[in-house]
Amino acid sequence: MSTLIVTEIQKGAIREASYELVAFAQKIGGDYASLVIGSGVGDLATAFAGKGGGKTYVADDASLADYNVDGYNAAIQAAVAASGATTILVSNTPSGWDVAPRVAAALDAGFISDVFNHQDGNFVRRVFNGKLDAQVSAGGGTTVVTVQPGAIAPFEGSADGSTEALSVDTSGARAKFVETKVAEAKGVDLSKAEIIVSGGRGVGDPEKFPEVIQPLADALGGAMGASRPVVDAGWLPHEYQVGSSGQVVTPKLYVACGISGAIQHLVGMKGSNFIVAINKDADAPIFEVAQLGVVGDLFEIVPALTAAITAAKG
Amino acid sequence: MKILVALKQVPHQDARLDVNGDGTWIKEDGIKFEINSYDTYALEEALRIKDAGEAEVVVISIGPDRVTQALRTALGMGADRAVHVNDDALVGSDSLGIAKTLAAIGKEESPDLVFMGLMSDDGNASAVPPMVAELMGLTSATGVLKAELSDGNVRVERELEGGALEVVDLPTPALLAVQSGLNQVRYASLKGIMAAKKKPIDVKTAADLGVADAVGSGGAKVKIEKVYQPPKGDGAELLEGSTDEIVTGLVNKIKELGLL
Ligand SMILES: Cc1cc2nc3c(=O)[nH]c(=O)nc-3n(C[C@H](O)[C@H](O)[C@H](O)COP(=O)(O)OP(=O)(O)OC[C@H]3O[C@@H](n4cnc5c(N)ncnc54)[C@H](O)[C@@H]3O)c2cc1C
Ligand SMILES: Nc1ncnc2c1ncn2[C@@H]1O[C@H](COP(=O)(O)O)[C@@H](O)[C@H]1O
């Protein structure tokens, strides 16, 4: 039993999520090795090897400077062959979820995605957008596993490690990286708001945002936010979106109205100082991160709350 | 130009979910099903290419009898024909088994483009599309928010964290797994629904596709041992009572936090 940790470089450094994979590999038990992919990344690999990465393979090639699905696929497969690993750990990030299933298919291996724990020999993950948990077992063969960033504390110690250069043939790569576009700064900067009142798909209707959600935000002197389906439907512009693909916010008070609490939303707001959730489903996962909850109809609670706040302010 | 769209039928987003008798999935009887949200965007993107030029759009779905409804809806929206893999042998398949089945159809059809959803709303695996691409020997991109076709190439914008985007060029044929929100999805018109009744749905089995050994629980390399309500942690303190009492509780808390 041995594990291969596929690290990821972001803004010139190995991501925190890669150190979480080290902790995850240690939790699974057995030997592990690591892989660093990039161009001119020898020093990063040496440092990682000494900070828990163990034996670290380095796929260093000019063609791997930017993420490319075909090149990364080839690099990971080369490292699996060199290490003889039977469990391959990849972070569930935009590049991880892009390449990991391809590696699994190429190796005719099992695949388990977005796991947040390893328990009783099984991998634990969320299904139905956070409404249920599932324990999944890997069969006897090779298994590729993607791990949810932030789910487990990163390994922070140091240990003996070494590096080994890995030659990768990327000549067959067809996908071509063109450029990265950073998110444009827009009018609404939720990251500075002290109070945010957010509405989700449960608000049900674009008109209800100015009628129900915005007035509570105004009464509290705060800003309005939203979950992704609200933005996808075109009810509000992207700048209102809170979550992994929107803004990460940490207000003093976050009020979630009609939001179920899928992990991608939680990532964007669970650092708030105090969270209030209003949802008619008592089992909604949002209640797990909220300090105060109301199981009920937002259309009853929110307008009444707005009136009470306005009255209290005099 | 031929475009394949793989779509999955999943429990309706507002369906009540109860764990089944042996604790390995949900009870399916009595709940409503719908086309996986991400897949509606995938289909819409394919139909837009068809609207803008000439393309045949073929929808494929693996699942039991109820899936006919999803395929009829897709045909009603404008797809030309459907392939339905309906075979009890597929029950218990893992993502790789589903991918091998879709790839077998893909190889028969040899499309110019394949559209899928980024993730299924039930299993949340985000596994099948890149697997199918690997098995079919196609390039692929996931989280696609924009796809611009030119001769032999598709320029894709894929979503990264925090709203950043990555622009990638893929030679066609290519497989794109789309992120929600890349377009506004049309409804099937009444006329479309009537026309769909005459459009063909080709029904296939695992054996027809030569994947009998790769599918079902026998072919699966990973297995769901159990499904359950997430354990309740500390959780929220719940305010109960009349609306007035609840609102008073909320106002008091906000005052306590020094925010009023
Ligand atoms: C790669 C990726 C990135 C993503 N990025 C983000 C992101 O940045 N932000 C984000 O939010 N999501 C993101 N998502 C989507 C995420 O997975 C969920 O689909 C989304 O967060 C769900 O939004 P919601 O809670 O508003 O809707 P739902 O999950 O549909 O929940 C609606 C809730 O409203 C409740 N409700 C309905 N009516 C009422 C009522 N009258 N009163 C009270 N409650 C009511 C229901 O009980 C339900 O819990 C991302 C997904 C992926 C795969
Ligand atoms: N049973 C199925 N039938 C057709 N397409 C599917 C099926 N399962 C998954 N897919 C496709 O693969 C995508 C991702 O699903 P998954 O990997 O299961 O999260 C879906 O959005 C569909 O496009």
Side-chain angles (χ1 to χ4, degrees):
Chain A
M1 252 285 293
S2 79
T3 300
L4 176 71
I5 293 164
V6 179
T7 67
E8 188 176 331
I9 295 172
Q10 194 180 41
K11 296 191 185 106
I14 305 255
R15 282 182 79 139
E16 171 110 332
S18 303
Y19 292 94
E20 295 166 9
L21 295 184
V22 173
F24 205 91
Q26 293 171 349
K27 188 162 188 180
I28 295 172
D31 299 342
Y32 64 84
S34 301
L35 168 66
V36 173
I37 308 171
S39 174
V41 292
D43 290 347
L44 285 179
T46 304
F48 187 75
K51 288 201 276 179
K55 177 162 185 184
T56 301
Y57 294 92
V58 200
D60 199 327
D61 194 276
S63 66
L64 297 170
D66 295 297
Y67 172 75
N68 166 303
V69 65
D70 301 317
Y72 274 52
N73 187 0
I76 297 169
Q77 287 187 52
V80 173
S83 64
T86 49
T87 302
I88 295 105
L89 298 181
V90 183
S91 299
N92 195 43
T93 57
S95 56
W97 69 59
D98 199 57
V99 71
R102 290 198 73 126
V103 175
L107 300 174
D108 201 31
F111 181 69
I112 310 174
S113 63
D114 207 22
V115 309
F116 63 88
N117 202 358
H118 187 257
Q119 194 181 317
D120 308 327
N122 293 327
F123 293 94
V124 193
R125 57 189 304 272
R126 294 264 143 85
V127 289
F128 291 97
N129 298 324
K131 288 174 204 127
L132 294 172
D133 279 0
Q135 288 200 12
V136 186
S137 62
T142 304
T143 311
V144 178
V145 177
T146 65
V147 180
Q148 188 175 96
I152 147 166
F155 178 76
E156 281 176 339
S158 57
D160 283 344
S162 60
T163 59
E164 186 175 314
L166 190 71
S167 77
V168 183
D169 179 8
T170 59
S171 60
R174 292 162 293 177
K176 273 198 203 72
F177 171 85
V178 179
E179 60 172 327
T180 307
K181 290 186 184 173
V182 292
E184 293 162 44
K186 298 257 182 61
V188 183
D189 182 4
L190 294 176
S191 66
K192 293 198 178 70
E194 290 208 329
I195 298 178
I196 297 173
V197 180
S198 280
R201 198 173 63 88
V203 177
D205 183 332
E207 266 103 74
K208 298 295 181 202
F209 280 85
E211 277 171 26
V212 179
I213 305 297
Q214 183 78 58
L216 177 58
D218 289 345
L220 287 165
M224 181 166 72
S227 68
R228 179 164 190 139
V230 170
V231 173
D232 286 343
W235 297 351
L236 286 175
H238 183 256
E239 58 212 82
Y240 287 89
Q241 185 177 313
V242 173
S244 62
S245 54
Q247 300 194 47
V248 174
V249 300
T250 51
K252 290 185 177 156
L253 174 65
Y254 188 89
V255 185
C257 312
I259 294 176
S260 63
I263 182 67
Q264 297 88 355
H265 189 79
L266 300 186
V267 163
M269 46 63 80
K270 67 178 183 207
S272 304
N273 180 50
F274 197 87
I275 299 169
V276 174
I278 303 170
N279 194 304
K280 64 179 183 187
D281 176 6
D283 290 328
I286 190 78
F287 289 119
E288 285 305 301
V289 299
Q291 279 81 29
L292 199 59
V294 178
V295 179
D297 185 352
L298 74 94
F299 295 110
E300 257 172 54
I301 307 296
V302 176
L305 180 59
T306 307
I309 302 273
T310 310
K313 281 190 160 172
Chain B
M1 160 108 125
K2 189 196 275 189
I3 307 174
L4 298 191
V5 180
L7 51 91
K8 185 177 189 184
Q9 195 192 41
V10 296
H12 192 280
Q13 290 191 58
D14 297 323
R16 217 197 114 79
L17 304 177
D18 291 311
V19 175
N20 68 9
D22 63 359
T24 55
W25 200 236
I26 56 151
K27 280 188 197 140
E28 294 207 342
D29 31 289
I31 63 172
K32 275 209 242 166
F33 283 81
E34 63 183 357
I35 298 178
N36 184 41
S37 61
Y38 295 88
D39 304 352
T40 61
Y41 296 100
L43 176 58
E44 176 66 35
E45 204 59 20
L47 294 174
R48 286 185 185 202
I49 294 172
K50 178 181 164 176
D51 291 347
E54 234 168 76
E56 182 190 27
V57 175
V58 183
V59 286
I60 311 173
S61 190
I62 303 171
D65 292 348
R66 56 172 161 76
V67 166
T68 311
Q69 180 62 43
L71 292 172
R72 286 276 168 229
T73 303
L75 294 170
M77 286 166 68
D80 297 289
R81 61 186 171 88
V83 181
H84 180 185
V85 185
N86 185 357
D87 187 346
D88 286 345
L90 277 138
V91 175
S93 298
D94 62 0
S95 300
L96 190 56
I98 296 296
K100 285 178 177 170
T101 308
L102 292 174
I105 299 170
K107 283 179 188 158
E108 281 179 9
E109 297 277 354
S110 29
D112 301 285
L113 278 176
V114 184
F115 282 104
M116 298 199 191
L118 171 62
M119 177 173 99
S120 53
D121 278 318
D122 53 357
N124 293 167
S126 288
V128 170
M131 285 179 168
V132 173
E134 183 73 22
L135 297 167
M136 287 178 70
L138 307 181
T139 53
S140 62
T142 55
V144 171
L145 278 176
K146 193 171 176 189
E148 258 174 17
L149 267 175
S150 56
D151 202 24
N153 186 69
V154 56
R155 175 160 290 193
V156 158
E157 289 188 7
R158 41 182 316 261
E159 185 179 88
L160 307 177
E161 290 137 301
L165 296 167
E166 184 173 272
V167 185
V168 193
D169 274 337
L170 304 176
T172 54
L175 183 148
L176 309 182
V178 308
Q179 171 60 298
S180 63
L182 88 160
N183 52 41
Q184 295 296 326
V185 181
R186 73 191 64 190
Y187 291 98
S189 65
L190 195 59
K191 201 171 139 232
I193 293 168
M194 296 309 287
K197 293 196 170 136
K198 292 193 207 85
K199 293 179 179 173
I201 299 182
D202 187 8
V203 181
K204 289 192 188 287
T205 64
D208 293 340
L209 296 164
V211 293
D213 292 341
V215 300
S217 39
K221 296 176 191 292
V222 301
K223 180 172 169 230
I224 298 177
E225 298 291 342
K226 58 175 177 172
V227 165
Y228 48 97
Q229 286 273 344
K232 298 272 181 234
D234 293 340
E237 176 200 335
L238 294 182
L239 287 174
E240 278 155 4
S242 66
T243 301
D244 275 354
E245 287 163 339
I246 289 171
V247 165
T248 306
L250 289 170
V251 171
N252 288 343
K253 189 66 199 185
I254 297 168
K255 278 188 183 151
E256 219 177 275
L257 293 168
L259 297 171
L260 238 185

